[in-house]
Amino acid sequence: NTARKFNPETDVKVKFEDVAGLGEAKEEVMEFVKFLKNPKKYEDLGAKIPRGAILSGPPGTGKTLIAKATAGEAGVPFYSCSGSDFYQMFVGVGASKVRDLFKMARENAPCIVFVDEIDAIGKSRSSGGARGNDERESTLNQLLVEMDGFTASDHIVVLAGTNRVDVLDSALMRPGRFDRHIQIDKPELEGRKEIFNVHLKKLTLSPTIDKDLSGRLSTLTPGFSGADIANVCNEAALTAARMEAEFVELVHFELAIERVIGGIEKKSKVLN
Ligand code: ATP
């Protein structure tokens, strides 16, 4: 039963305030929020609302988070899946899963459908190896058919995440499909500070800790993604617990940063 895979998250708690930085991206998705909250206004004006957006950027930069926050702000269900979920051995299975997904989305509209790793099915049709190509094409075609089939009264927004926007089939970007492209980059110093501020809120910090802790930590973490920063904060708390400390102290963050750098280095070794 493939339908079970697409259980939506109905009471999405994530809001824009949980997403640090990414001001431009938030502004872009705000239009979807407004549309989902009040589609009639757009219909009355005869406006064709964009159907979807591609969120592209390196891993862990908050693509899924901002998609989810869009659902949270609009107060609509969030259907999340990954392009690789559709990738099957047998031709036709992926396409029928896409059909199931959109059938459910239509029944539960207004809603947001998020397809992570869209490149797994949306690679340019001329690229890629032979094996599995038919299956990928039929899955991609079904996705295009579904998006083309939206009528003005289908209040569904499709967001897709990828770190390989360069390989995507240009058919995906045509008007009425993913007509918006939102680029999300790794955070700079100020962005990292803001992300630290979001994640530090969850910790029990030492009362004597550096007043500008997030500023200090942001200078120690060049090249870190938002996911790396969330990881540092959690690691710091775990380290404090391991050391039987009452509060999280600067030293716990320093140890956590070293650990996370170790993890990042290992990952990049595997990739290279
Ligand atoms: P992937 O490409 O690997 O799917 P992604 O870009 O979708 O990654 P997310 O899953 O959104 O990344 O981010 C992972 C976690 O990192 C989030 O759940 C959040 O805890 C943290 N994070 C990332 N970016 C931000 C941000 N801008 N503000 C706050 N937290 C963030």
Side-chain angles (χ1 to χ4, degrees):
N1 183 358
T2 55
R4 222 180 304 143
K5 272 199 118 155
F6 302 122
N7 273 341
E9 216 172 297
T10 43
D11 186 18
V12 180
K13 294 275 191 286
V14 182
K15 294 278 160 61
F16 282 159
E17 67 178 44
D18 302 306
V19 186
L22 306 185
E24 274 178 44
K26 277 188 215 167
E27 249 171 60
E28 293 255 12
V29 295
M30 198 59 209
E31 180 153 47
F32 296 119
V33 173
K34 287 191 189 147
F35 165 68
L36 290 167
K37 276 185 150 168
N38 190 2
K40 192 167 177 309
K41 181 177 139 194
Y42 288 78
E43 283 159 25
D44 288 350
L45 288 168
K48 261 206 200 101
I49 178 78
R51 278 313 179 182
I54 302 260
L55 304 163
S56 75
T61 45
K63 300 181 292 295
T64 308
L65 187 67
I66 202 164
K68 201 183 252 191
T70 308
E73 291 286 340
V76 300
F78 183 67
Y79 285 86
S80 165
C81 59
S82 168
S84 53
D85 295 343
F86 297 110
Y87 196 81
Q88 301 283 327
M89 209 74 114
F90 304 106
V91 175
V93 176
S96 87
K97 281 190 179 180
V98 170
R99 220 174 292 127
D100 288 350
L101 171 64
F102 281 89
K103 182 164 178 283
M104 288 190 83
R106 280 199 177 84
E107 285 163 6
N108 292 284
C111 67
I112 289 185
V113 173
F114 178 65
V115 186
D116 204 0
E117 294 178 55
I118 183 84
D119 44 287
I121 53 171
K123 248 186 238 155
S124 159
R125 280 172 279 193
S126 55
S127 75
R131 203 199 127 262
N133 244 11
D134 287 351
E135 169 59 357
R136 203 179 62 212
E137 274 188 29
S138 81
T139 308
L140 173 59
N141 284 336
Q142 189 60 37
L143 177 65
L144 299 178
V145 164
E146 296 291 344
M147 291 184 82
D148 290 346
F150 285 155
T151 64
S153 58
D154 282 321
H155 302 147
I156 301 173
V157 166
V158 190
L159 301 177
T162 182
N163 18 32
R164 292 300 314 275
V165 74
D166 54 312
V167 301
L168 292 185
D169 199 300
S170 58
L172 278 168
M173 320 283 201
R174 293 220 187 101
R177 295 172 179 168
F178 295 100
D179 25 28
R180 297 282 160 96
H181 175 201
I182 303 172
Q183 170 76 34
I184 296 182
D185 293 313
K186 276 202 186 168
E188 303 286 345
L189 189 69
E190 189 54 36
R192 293 198 299 277
K193 181 173 167 168
E194 288 173 30
I195 299 172
F196 268 114
N197 279 331
V198 165
H199 292 278
L200 287 174
K201 269 193 224 143
K202 300 167 199 158
L203 309 184
T204 304
L205 299 173
S206 160
T208 61
I209 209 160
D210 193 334
K211 285 282 165 287
D212 182 28
L213 180 64
S214 57
R216 177 142 179 191
L217 293 173
S218 63
T219 62
L220 297 175
T221 49
F224 278 41
S225 68
D228 296 331
I229 289 171
N231 201 358
V232 164
C233 291
N234 193 48
E235 273 293 333
L238 289 175
T239 307
R242 231 177 272 131
M243 293 166 77
E244 314 270 346
E246 193 181 347
F247 301 108
V248 188
E249 306 276 357
L250 187 60
V251 59
H252 303 132
F253 285 100
E254 288 166 348
L255 291 167
I257 288 170
E258 271 174 38
R259 252 182 121 99
V260 172
I261 289 176
I264 297 171
E265 279 172 357
K266 228 185 266 157
K267 246 189 275 162
S268 63
K269 256 190 216 133
V270 174
L271 288 174
N272 288 330

